[in-house]
Amino acid sequence: MEAVDLGQLLSAQQDRRIRVIENLLRGKKTVSTLYWGQRYRLLPLLNLDKHLQRGGLDTAIQDLQHQGWVTVDPEQATLRLTSTGEQQLADQAYYRPVTTAQWVNLDLVAARQRLLLAVQVTSQFAHSTARYYPLATDQETRRAVRVWFHRRKSPALASQLGAALTASLQQLPQQTAGVVTDQFTGFGQPGLTSEQLAVTHQWTTWEVRLMQVDGVVQIAQDARQADHPLHELLGPLWQVPISRSAQATLAAVEAGGDLARVATVRKIKLSTVREHLLEAAIMSPLRDFPYDQVLPETVRQDLASALHGSIDDWQYTALPTALQAQYDFFYFRLYAIWRIKEATT
Amino acid sequence: MEPLTTSLKRVFGFDHFRSGQVQALASLEAGADTLAILPTGAGKTLIYQLYGYRHPGCVLIVSPLLSLMNDQVNRMRMSGFKRAAAITSQTPFGERLSILNHLNQLQFLFLSPEMLAQPQMLARLQQIQLSLLVVDEAHCIVQWGPDFRPEYLLLGAIREKLRQPLTLMLTATAGQQTRAEIAKQLRSQPQVVTESVNRPNIYLDVENVADEATKQSRLQDLVAHLRRPGVVYFSSKQQATDTALWLRDTTGVTAAAYHAGLDAEDRFKIQQQFMAGQLDVICATSAFGMGIDKDDVRFVIHYHLPADLESYAQEIGRAGRDGQPSVAILLYAPGDEQLPLALGQANRPEVETIERYYAHPQNFAADDPQIQLLAFYREHGISEEAVKRLFASREKERNHALAQMLAYVRTETCLRATWLQAFDETSPAHTAQCCAPGNVALDLTALGLTRQAPAPEPEEMPWQERLARLF
Ligand SMILES: [Zn+2]
């Protein structure tokens, strides 16, 4: 990630923690990362750069600092754009992905692997090539594509897939359609690397990555139609963005357990039950979480009376002692999530 | 059992073996461990593929380069051998388990040395029938073993634990000393099958340059004027990457970097682009080459001094496999030997470190590669004295190898003679098509190796047409 790429993830109005951005990219889903990811409106970044090393953003941060585009609070490890930085970044043409709302709902890495291999296999099949080097992928991808191909193999497959991909890419910006097309490997086309596409078009490699994700998500979105040639291949990769254990806890709570009982029944700690619920609340739309049950009206009123101003400035430790004694941090955090969802729903 | 040529025809559709293949196979069929020293491109893989085809059980291939192992499996599958798999430290856990559970159904299994050294792995392998053990790139035992991949030094013991299966050792280059060392490490007395390492169609050139800046501009000049495609070798990933961009911007060649730091998708694409003739120049580290089938590489340039003549011979061997005139150019600036010296020392612990470590192993951080190396030896019961001797003799060998490399650079008469002498071969008489040592200028025109007319730029089509072309 280069300085401009990181700059796009920052704000002049809000301090943003470096570690949160790093953890989002690496797919480390702690409640704190998810909560702040939501506050920064950066949740779509989840899992986008699994290979990022810890401290892997340091060079980009130094570059931004050097240019005077950000100020760094070393104590909090937060970044904030300066007005120069905000202006400069606004003046630059930078790719704006168009499918971000769906990103957390798809296994992006697997979807991309399957798509690339399916395109290669179909393209070579269409040209009757018996011997070619298949893309190096993991065993699960190979298995899924093999099963898909055996089911779908027919003289019409190539033209169906070509038409379906064209229809998907037509909905995306022209340059994105070009990038997605040129990264494909197939007959007579080794495919271009992200680096090569970036150099040729004077984008950053990260922008190319964003375009590729747009392509994968658009195609997977269209493949939800049962008659789409990639339906069986990509369909299973849509996911609820909540871990299985959190889903189970949520179901137990909804079935009418108070939290302590759910903990006993599920043989987990009460603190874990609470973490699961916070994860589920952050990652679900307002209507899909039982706020009335877990955060009753009276609790909301008590907390509302003590909490004012910008949500980012709220501090649990600044609550009146009596309220702290009555309500655990969990309720304070859940109330904030409810307020955010209320405001954006 | 059917004759070898019948199997060859049946499996690969060829009528004739290439020289070396049949001797190696005959030796294996006679039940003899075999060390095959065959030049790059001689079709070494075919030897164990065909042996595996003709005999029941699994062929176990120990291969040093992780990044290439999956490529090798793909190549096997492509040639119709579907029951092939690879396990490296990077293989996901689930996949590893699934391979291990189906071990007895495999015909070919590729393992990295460190995987093979694991007790559980060894235990599983003891339960299946091995038809053949292959040690690929066997010279790595000597080049890398002691201070880079100590697992290679366990191969002899592992081989005994596997009840000494028939063993094939493969390498492109090995002088007498290396041969002896390979045999000693593997506790075997192999039959040696060898072809001359000489490649008469590769013109050899050494150029002395004053400094780094001159070297860069000479590289630029060469790349702009040489017949393409070609490969430029570097010792560092970063320099390979930077130079590819710089050459592209300043000379208009299509260039790309290739090194072990790229992910599998990018490596695949760059390789395929190069094979398809879409790249003029690859800026590579030594990770590039093994497993590349491209016959018409016209030049190989070394920007950095290789650590020994064996690596150098391996790398220039990627030029001119079609037998057409090609050139291998080594650019040398005074002091260039410092880099291989430093790289060699980076992993080698000082005597004092060895002593302190053996006295108090618990005092050392486990994330230091030198300490990991010492821990490895200590855990395998190798004494402090033996480790000291090992590193001392290793240093001597490396220095000797580097001295040979420098002798090549400083040759004033015939480069080929110096090179072949290091492999105990006599060189044919020097001619105008043979070489240009450092004191002789390179004449590309006389060699017919000047740049051909550039291909016209393909016209840009809209993405819809590019996509349609795939299907
Ligand atoms: Zn000569």
Side-chain angles (χ1 to χ4, degrees), chain B residues 18-195:
Chain B
R18 285 195 240 173
S19 61
Q21 288 174 335
V22 74
Q23 289 88 333
L25 274 162
S27 162
L28 290 171
E29 292 285 343
D33 290 346
T34 304
L35 167 59
I37 308 165
L38 301 174
T40 317
K44 290 191 281 281
T45 312
L46 182 139
I47 300 170
Y48 60 78
Q49 281 177 329
L50 206 65
Y51 190 88
Y53 165 77
R54 288 166 60 89
H55 297 267
C58 180
V59 177
L60 172 63
I61 303 114
V62 185
S63 175
L65 287 177
L66 300 185
S67 56
L68 295 170
M69 232 182 282
N70 286 318
D71 293 357
Q72 276 174 305
V73 171
N74 280 333
R75 293 154 64 81
M76 296 287 286
R77 294 210 176 108
M78 223 177 80
S79 11
F81 295 98
K82 305 282 184 202
R83 292 184 290 137
I87 304 182
T88 71
S89 52
Q90 293 159 7
T91 310
F93 183 74
E95 184 168 345
R96 198 182 293 183
L97 216 61
S98 137
I99 295 172
L100 283 178
N101 288 335
H102 299 95
L103 212 52
N104 51 4
Q105 291 161 30
L106 281 182
Q107 200 174 17
F108 297 93
L109 175 64
F110 291 82
L111 281 184
S112 57
E114 61 269 29
M115 275 294 137
L116 181 59
Q118 289 188 357
Q120 313 91 300
M121 182 65 75
L122 203 55
R124 290 305 314 269
L125 289 170
Q126 281 168 333
Q127 292 161 8
I128 63 164
Q129 185 190 356
L130 289 183
S131 59
L132 183 66
L133 170 67
V134 181
V135 181
D136 202 5
E137 311 292 346
H139 59 280
C140 292
I141 292 181
V142 182
Q143 270 174 22
W144 294 0
D147 40 23
F148 187 48
R149 281 289 180 79
E151 295 86 359
Y152 256 37
L153 299 183
L154 298 178
L155 280 178
I158 289 172
R159 196 172 156 264
E160 276 178 5
K161 286 192 184 136
L162 293 172
R163 297 181 298 276
Q164 300 197 304
L166 183 66
T167 304
L168 171 65
M169 299 143 245
L170 293 171
T171 178
T173 42
Q176 295 296 353
Q177 207 185 341
T178 304
R179 292 178 203 183
E181 189 63 24
I182 292 171
K184 183 178 142 210
Q185 289 298 341
L186 288 174
R187 307 182 190 178
S188 163
Q189 275 98 41
Q191 285 283 339
V192 179
V193 171
T194 171
E195 294 278 304

Side-chain angles (χ1 to χ4, degrees), chain B residues 217-285:
Chain B
S217 68
R218 180 58 182 153
L219 174 68
Q220 192 180 31
D221 186 47
L222 282 168
V223 166
H225 292 102
L226 273 166
R227 180 167 282 266
R228 297 160 188 174
V231 181
V232 186
Y233 277 103
F234 297 85
S235 302
S236 104
K237 291 181 208 168
Q238 193 56 49
Q239 201 154 6
T241 307
D242 295 347
T243 310
L245 272 179
W246 176 71
L247 285 173
R248 182 182 164 282
D249 290 345
T250 59
T251 67
V253 295
T254 52
Y258 186 103
H259 51 73
L262 297 177
D263 65 26
E265 183 185 321
D266 286 358
R267 245 186 350 251
F268 173 90
K269 287 177 170 173
I270 304 278
Q271 272 187 19
Q272 297 298 311
Q273 290 169 8
F274 191 58
M275 308 249 251
Q278 294 177 0
L279 288 173
D280 297 323
V281 178
I282 294 264
C283 292
T285 62

